[in-house]
Amino acid sequence: MMSEAKRMHPAATIFNFIAMIKDVLIPAVIGSFALIRNIDAPSWVWALVILGLLLAIIGFSFLSWYRFTYRIEGEELRIESGIFIRKKRYISKNRIQSIDLTAGVIHRIFRLVKVEVQTAGSDNAAEAGLKAVSRKEGELLREALKRAKAEATAETEESSGVEEPKMVAQRTIGVKRLLLAATTSGGIGVFLSLFAVVGSQINQIIPDGFFTNVYNWAIHLSIVLLLVFILLVCVVVWLMAVAGTLLRYSFFSIRKYEKELFITRGLLEKKQVTVPLNRIQGIRIQENIFRQPLGYAAVYVEVAGGALDKNDDFSIALFPLLKRTEIQSFVQEYLPGIQIEDRWGLLPTRSARRFVLRSTIPVVVIAAPLLYFFPSYSWMALIVIAAAAVLGYLRFRDAGFILTEKQLSFRSRMLSRETIVVDRKRIQSLSTSNHWFQRRKSLQTVYFSIASHSGVGKSFLVKDMENKDAEAIRDWYSFHSQ
């Protein structure tokens, strides 16, 4: 059906152009800004240079599109690309784990989709991607690749065709639940990190003395005005985080078929993600500090192989917001092989002091010089130290484990409380350790790892566990691994 080589939609030239501007031109201009601003040249020369660069990028973008072809031949997806160096990439259908379709704003204008093919060996990037094909072409390609094995079986059995997969369950997110998810997302940290990255990149084009002027302006503000200013910045960033969550999870729906989950989400960029059930390694329940008091949590799945989602610690959001009381029935419906238990084994009381010290010592070390040079603000440092101590106690109180015949669950907290539930056969390795301070208190740390997106594994741990509990977990895994 697709044995003839095809090109993507001509609109792919636009995506090539945007990618070159973003990945090549802008970093080059920022990186050489100090050199550029010292070149004394007339404005018409700069205009000619910019025009020449744009024409070169347009020409390169067109040639990149023209030289990119794809086809399905035999049991392989074959992609050939490259202007000066010809690249040929063959991907066996049997290695493909998922085929995702994404439609951004430009895609929707031309009624196109982006096709991303994930395999078990894919790292952060997709194994193969078609930037722009028609929606019909994308769906045909996905069906042709997904049904490879089924068609082979059907031919062997001289069957007349392949049956359509049956949808077993479906759930969507309502408007109220979406708004609650957005306002309690806690995505402020993501935006602060983004500001830090952007700030480091544009540092060279900021005028000399800018930060000095900002510092002088800030220290002349009263403490009240400074706090108000910080509060306003936090509110603006929070509103940006709310908008980001709304754009990301609008029209969220999850559908379950016999062998896979099909997740659709996004307002500006509509993404369709396929999750094979046999690649799921475990589920992760995240309760951030805003959602936990309200009794809500987000549910993720850890999937082996592929670059499935970079924004949630490389996990996939199975549902962005559920009541805690709904999670058990939800998991039973979509992942019946996983049981959600609530009989937590807690840490011994003597572990509490270690958790509190681990949280407060770094804060004290940072605050000590500030207290020395700015003693009038010592009350602020004391508040921060007290908050760190409370956080340490919460980490102790929430840490725990559940061991059943087939499953191991760990619960821990940094700021958010996280629960990971893993089937024994999905655990890649399990180990315990203790150092001198722990041995004095008969405590151990238990680690386990599972296969993750890049094939290097993802680890989870609980610190300061009772010796006998750690040994019971180790024996449980060791016994079943034999």
Side-chain angles (χ1 to χ4, degrees), residues 383-421:
I383 291 176
V384 176
I385 292 172
V390 172
L391 179 62
Y393 178 75
L394 291 177
R395 287 175 178 170
F396 158 74
R397 195 189 64 179
D398 289 329
F401 67 96
I402 297 176
L403 189 65
T404 66
E405 183 181 356
K406 295 182 178 180
Q407 285 185 178
L408 177 61
S409 305
F410 273 5
R411 190 173 70 185
S412 60
R413 174 191 290 276
M414 288 301 288
L415 280 177
S416 301
R417 187 170 75 173
E418 293 202 345
T419 302
I420 177 74
V421 183

Short mmCIF file of all heavy atoms in Angstrom, two decimals, residues 383-421:
data_model
loop_
_atom_site.label_atom_id
_atom_site.label_comp_id
_atom_site.label_asym_id
_atom_site.label_seq_id
_atom_site.Cartn_x
_atom_site.Cartn_y
_atom_site.Cartn_z
N ILE A 383 12.19 31.75 60.07
CA ILE A 383 10.95 31.21 59.48
C ILE A 383 11.28 30.15 58.43
O ILE A 383 10.65 29.08 58.38
CB ILE A 383 10.12 32.36 58.86
CG1 ILE A 383 9.56 33.25 59.97
CG2 ILE A 383 8.99 31.80 58.00
CD1 ILE A 383 8.81 34.46 59.45
N VAL A 384 12.28 30.44 57.60
CA VAL A 384 12.66 29.47 56.55
C VAL A 384 13.20 28.19 57.18
O VAL A 384 12.87 27.08 56.74
CB VAL A 384 13.71 30.10 55.61
CG1 VAL A 384 14.19 29.07 54.60
CG2 VAL A 384 13.12 31.30 54.88
N ILE A 385 14.01 28.32 58.23
CA ILE A 385 14.55 27.13 58.90
C ILE A 385 13.42 26.31 59.52
O ILE A 385 13.40 25.07 59.43
CB ILE A 385 15.58 27.55 59.97
CG1 ILE A 385 16.82 28.14 59.30
CG2 ILE A 385 15.97 26.36 60.84
CD1 ILE A 385 17.81 28.77 60.26
N ALA A 386 12.46 27.01 60.12
CA ALA A 386 11.33 26.29 60.72
C ALA A 386 10.52 25.57 59.64
O ALA A 386 10.07 24.43 59.83
CB ALA A 386 10.43 27.28 61.48
N ALA A 387 10.33 26.23 58.48
CA ALA A 387 9.60 25.59 57.38
C ALA A 387 10.33 24.35 56.88
O ALA A 387 9.71 23.32 56.57
CB ALA A 387 9.41 26.59 56.23
N ALA A 388 11.67 24.44 56.82
CA ALA A 388 12.45 23.28 56.38
C ALA A 388 12.31 22.13 57.37
O ALA A 388 12.23 20.96 56.99
CB ALA A 388 13.92 23.68 56.23
N ALA A 389 12.27 22.46 58.66
CA ALA A 389 12.10 21.41 59.68
C ALA A 389 10.74 20.74 59.55
O ALA A 389 10.61 19.51 59.66
CB ALA A 389 12.27 22.02 61.07
N VAL A 390 9.70 21.54 59.30
CA VAL A 390 8.36 20.96 59.11
C VAL A 390 8.33 20.06 57.89
O VAL A 390 7.75 18.96 57.91
CB VAL A 390 7.32 22.09 58.98
CG1 VAL A 390 5.95 21.52 58.60
CG2 VAL A 390 7.21 22.87 60.29
N LEU A 391 8.98 20.53 56.80
CA LEU A 391 9.03 19.71 55.59
C LEU A 391 9.74 18.39 55.86
O LEU A 391 9.33 17.32 55.39
CB LEU A 391 9.73 20.48 54.47
CG LEU A 391 9.89 19.74 53.15
CD1 LEU A 391 8.52 19.38 52.56
CD2 LEU A 391 10.69 20.56 52.14
N GLY A 392 10.83 18.45 56.64
CA GLY A 392 11.55 17.22 56.98
C GLY A 392 10.67 16.25 57.74
O GLY A 392 10.69 15.04 57.49
N TYR A 393 9.88 16.79 58.68
CA TYR A 393 8.98 15.90 59.44
C TYR A 393 7.92 15.29 58.54
O TYR A 393 7.58 14.11 58.67
CB TYR A 393 8.32 16.68 60.58
CG TYR A 393 7.35 15.82 61.35
CD1 TYR A 393 7.82 14.86 62.26
CD2 TYR A 393 5.97 15.94 61.15
CE1 TYR A 393 6.94 14.05 62.95
CE2 TYR A 393 5.09 15.12 61.84
CZ TYR A 393 5.58 14.18 62.74
OH TYR A 393 4.70 13.36 63.41
N LEU A 394 7.38 16.09 57.59
CA LEU A 394 6.39 15.57 56.65
C LEU A 394 6.99 14.46 55.78
O LEU A 394 6.32 13.47 55.47
CB LEU A 394 5.84 16.69 55.76
CG LEU A 394 4.97 17.73 56.45
CD1 LEU A 394 4.57 18.83 55.47
CD2 LEU A 394 3.73 17.07 57.04
N ARG A 395 8.26 14.64 55.39
CA ARG A 395 8.91 13.59 54.61
C ARG A 395 9.01 12.29 55.40
O ARG A 395 8.84 11.20 54.85
CB ARG A 395 10.31 14.06 54.19
CG ARG A 395 10.29 15.12 53.10
CD ARG A 395 11.68 15.65 52.81
NE ARG A 395 11.66 16.63 51.74
CZ ARG A 395 12.68 17.39 51.41
NH1 ARG A 395 13.82 17.31 52.07
NH2 ARG A 395 12.58 18.25 50.42
N PHE A 396 9.30 12.42 56.68
CA PHE A 396 9.34 11.22 57.53
C PHE A 396 7.96 10.59 57.65
O PHE A 396 7.79 9.38 57.50
CB PHE A 396 9.86 11.60 58.93
CG PHE A 396 9.46 10.62 59.99
CD1 PHE A 396 10.07 9.37 60.07
CD2 PHE A 396 8.45 10.94 60.91
CE1 PHE A 396 9.68 8.46 61.05
CE2 PHE A 396 8.08 10.04 61.88
CZ PHE A 396 8.69 8.79 61.96
N ARG A 397 6.96 11.41 57.92
CA ARG A 397 5.61 10.89 58.15
C ARG A 397 5.03 10.21 56.90
O ARG A 397 4.29 9.23 57.00
CB ARG A 397 4.68 12.04 58.58
CG ARG A 397 3.38 11.58 59.19
CD ARG A 397 2.45 12.74 59.39
NE ARG A 397 2.06 13.35 58.11
CZ ARG A 397 1.23 14.37 57.99
NH1 ARG A 397 0.72 14.92 59.08
NH2 ARG A 397 0.92 14.85 56.81
N ASP A 398 5.38 10.72 55.71
CA ASP A 398 4.78 10.18 54.49
C ASP A 398 5.56 9.01 53.91
O ASP A 398 5.04 8.30 53.05
CB ASP A 398 4.68 11.28 53.42
CG ASP A 398 3.62 12.31 53.77
OD1 ASP A 398 2.63 11.93 54.41
OD2 ASP A 398 3.79 13.49 53.42
N ALA A 399 6.81 8.83 54.31
CA ALA A 399 7.61 7.74 53.75
C ALA A 399 7.05 6.40 54.21
O ALA A 399 6.66 6.24 55.37
CB ALA A 399 9.06 7.89 54.16
N GLY A 400 7.02 5.43 53.29
CA GLY A 400 6.52 4.12 53.66
C GLY A 400 6.58 3.14 52.50
O GLY A 400 7.06 3.47 51.41
N PHE A 401 6.09 1.93 52.76
CA PHE A 401 6.13 0.89 51.73
C PHE A 401 4.98 -0.07 51.94
O PHE A 401 4.39 -0.15 53.04
CB PHE A 401 7.46 0.12 51.80
CG PHE A 401 7.60 -0.69 53.06
CD1 PHE A 401 7.29 -2.04 53.09
CD2 PHE A 401 8.02 -0.09 54.25
CE1 PHE A 401 7.39 -2.78 54.25
CE2 PHE A 401 8.12 -0.83 55.42
CZ PHE A 401 7.81 -2.17 55.43
N ILE A 402 4.64 -0.78 50.87
CA ILE A 402 3.67 -1.87 50.93
C ILE A 402 4.25 -3.04 50.15
O ILE A 402 4.67 -2.87 48.99
CB ILE A 402 2.31 -1.48 50.34
CG1 ILE A 402 1.67 -0.34 51.12
CG2 ILE A 402 1.37 -2.69 50.34
CD1 ILE A 402 0.37 0.14 50.53
N LEU A 403 4.29 -4.18 50.77
CA LEU A 403 4.83 -5.38 50.12
C LEU A 403 3.73 -6.42 50.05
O LEU A 403 3.16 -6.82 51.07
CB LEU A 403 6.02 -5.91 50.93
CG LEU A 403 6.83 -7.03 50.30
CD1 LEU A 403 7.53 -6.54 49.05
CD2 LEU A 403 7.86 -7.55 51.30
N THR A 404 3.39 -6.84 48.84
CA THR A 404 2.43 -7.93 48.67
C THR A 404 3.13 -9.06 47.92
O THR A 404 4.32 -8.95 47.58
CB THR A 404 1.19 -7.47 47.88
OG1 THR A 404 1.58 -7.14 46.54
CG2 THR A 404 0.57 -6.24 48.53
N GLU A 405 2.41 -10.08 47.61
CA GLU A 405 3.05 -11.22 46.93
C GLU A 405 3.63 -10.82 45.58
O GLU A 405 4.70 -11.28 45.19
CB GLU A 405 2.03 -12.34 46.74
CG GLU A 405 2.63 -13.58 46.10
CD GLU A 405 1.58 -14.65 45.89
OE1 GLU A 405 0.43 -14.46 46.30
OE2 GLU A 405 1.94 -15.68 45.31
N LYS A 406 2.94 -9.92 44.85
CA LYS A 406 3.36 -9.59 43.49
C LYS A 406 3.82 -8.15 43.32
O LYS A 406 4.40 -7.81 42.28
CB LYS A 406 2.22 -9.86 42.51
CG LYS A 406 1.83 -11.33 42.41
CD LYS A 406 0.73 -11.50 41.38
CE LYS A 406 0.38 -12.97 41.23
NZ LYS A 406 -0.71 -13.17 40.23
N GLN A 407 3.54 -7.28 44.27
CA GLN A 407 3.79 -5.87 44.07
C GLN A 407 4.63 -5.25 45.19
O GLN A 407 4.59 -5.72 46.33
CB GLN A 407 2.46 -5.10 44.02
CG GLN A 407 1.70 -5.27 42.75
CD GLN A 407 0.46 -4.39 42.72
OE1 GLN A 407 -0.26 -4.38 41.75
NE2 GLN A 407 0.21 -3.66 43.77
N LEU A 408 5.34 -4.19 44.82
CA LEU A 408 6.05 -3.37 45.80
C LEU A 408 5.65 -1.91 45.57
O LEU A 408 5.67 -1.42 44.43
CB LEU A 408 7.57 -3.53 45.63
CG LEU A 408 8.44 -2.66 46.55
CD1 LEU A 408 8.18 -3.00 48.01
CD2 LEU A 408 9.93 -2.84 46.22
N SER A 409 5.27 -1.24 46.63
CA SER A 409 4.90 0.18 46.55
C SER A 409 5.80 0.97 47.49
O SER A 409 6.03 0.55 48.63
CB SER A 409 3.43 0.37 46.97
OG SER A 409 2.57 -0.44 46.19
N PHE A 410 6.31 2.09 47.00
CA PHE A 410 7.08 3.02 47.82
C PHE A 410 6.34 4.35 47.84
O PHE A 410 5.78 4.78 46.83
CB PHE A 410 8.47 3.24 47.23
CG PHE A 410 9.49 2.23 47.68
CD1 PHE A 410 9.13 1.14 48.45
CD2 PHE A 410 10.82 2.37 47.33
CE1 PHE A 410 10.05 0.21 48.86
CE2 PHE A 410 11.77 1.44 47.73
CZ PHE A 410 11.39 0.36 48.50
N ARG A 411 6.40 5.02 48.98
CA ARG A 411 5.84 6.38 49.07
C ARG A 411 6.90 7.28 49.68
O ARG A 411 7.54 6.92 50.68
CB ARG A 411 4.57 6.38 49.93
CG ARG A 411 3.80 7.69 49.86
CD ARG A 411 2.47 7.57 50.58
NE ARG A 411 2.66 7.46 52.03
CZ ARG A 411 1.68 7.26 52.90
NH1 ARG A 411 0.45 7.13 52.45
NH2 ARG A 411 1.93 7.17 54.19
N SER A 412 7.08 8.45 49.09
CA SER A 412 8.09 9.40 49.58
C SER A 412 7.66 10.81 49.22
O SER A 412 6.67 11.01 48.52
CB SER A 412 9.46 9.08 48.97
OG SER A 412 9.41 9.19 47.56
N ARG A 413 8.44 11.78 49.69
CA ARG A 413 8.10 13.18 49.43
C ARG A 413 9.37 14.02 49.30
O ARG A 413 10.31 13.87 50.08
CB ARG A 413 7.27 13.75 50.59
CG ARG A 413 6.99 15.25 50.46
CD ARG A 413 6.42 15.81 51.75
NE ARG A 413 5.08 15.34 52.01
CZ ARG A 413 3.98 15.88 51.49
NH1 ARG A 413 4.07 16.91 50.67
NH2 ARG A 413 2.80 15.39 51.77
N MET A 414 9.37 14.87 48.26
CA MET A 414 10.31 16.00 48.23
C MET A 414 9.47 17.21 48.63
O MET A 414 9.41 17.57 49.79
CB MET A 414 10.91 16.17 46.84
CG MET A 414 11.92 15.08 46.50
SD MET A 414 13.30 15.06 47.70
CE MET A 414 14.17 16.55 47.22
N LEU A 415 8.81 17.86 47.69
CA LEU A 415 7.73 18.79 48.03
C LEU A 415 6.40 18.08 47.83
O LEU A 415 5.50 18.15 48.66
CB LEU A 415 7.80 20.04 47.16
CG LEU A 415 8.83 21.10 47.57
CD1 LEU A 415 8.84 22.24 46.58
CD2 LEU A 415 8.57 21.62 48.98
N SER A 416 6.28 17.38 46.69
CA SER A 416 5.06 16.62 46.43
C SER A 416 5.20 15.22 47.01
O SER A 416 6.29 14.66 47.07
CB SER A 416 4.82 16.51 44.92
OG SER A 416 4.70 17.78 44.34
N ARG A 417 4.07 14.65 47.42
CA ARG A 417 4.08 13.26 47.89
C ARG A 417 3.86 12.34 46.69
O ARG A 417 2.92 12.54 45.93
CB ARG A 417 2.99 13.04 48.93
CG ARG A 417 3.07 11.67 49.58
CD ARG A 417 2.16 11.55 50.77
NE ARG A 417 0.77 11.40 50.40
CZ ARG A 417 -0.21 11.14 51.26
NH1 ARG A 417 0.08 11.05 52.55
NH2 ARG A 417 -1.45 11.02 50.85
N GLU A 418 4.75 11.37 46.53
CA GLU A 418 4.68 10.49 45.38
C GLU A 418 4.61 9.03 45.82
O GLU A 418 5.31 8.61 46.74
CB GLU A 418 5.88 10.69 44.47
CG GLU A 418 5.90 12.06 43.80
CD GLU A 418 6.76 12.06 42.55
OE1 GLU A 418 7.53 11.12 42.38
OE2 GLU A 418 6.63 13.02 41.78
N THR A 419 3.75 8.30 45.12
CA THR A 419 3.60 6.87 45.37
C THR A 419 3.90 6.14 44.07
O THR A 419 3.37 6.50 43.03
CB THR A 419 2.17 6.54 45.81
OG1 THR A 419 1.86 7.29 46.99
CG2 THR A 419 2.03 5.06 46.12
N ILE A 420 4.76 5.14 44.13
CA ILE A 420 5.06 4.32 42.96
C ILE A 420 4.64 2.89 43.26
O ILE A 420 4.94 2.35 44.32
CB ILE A 420 6.57 4.40 42.58
CG1 ILE A 420 6.89 3.50 41.40
CG2 ILE A 420 7.45 4.07 43.77
CD1 ILE A 420 6.40 4.02 40.09
N VAL A 421 3.90 2.30 42.34
CA VAL A 421 3.43 0.91 42.49
C VAL A 421 3.97 0.11 41.31
O VAL A 421 3.73 0.46 40.15
CB VAL A 421 1.89 0.85 42.50
CG1 VAL A 421 1.43 -0.59 42.74
CG2 VAL A 421 1.32 1.78 43.56
#
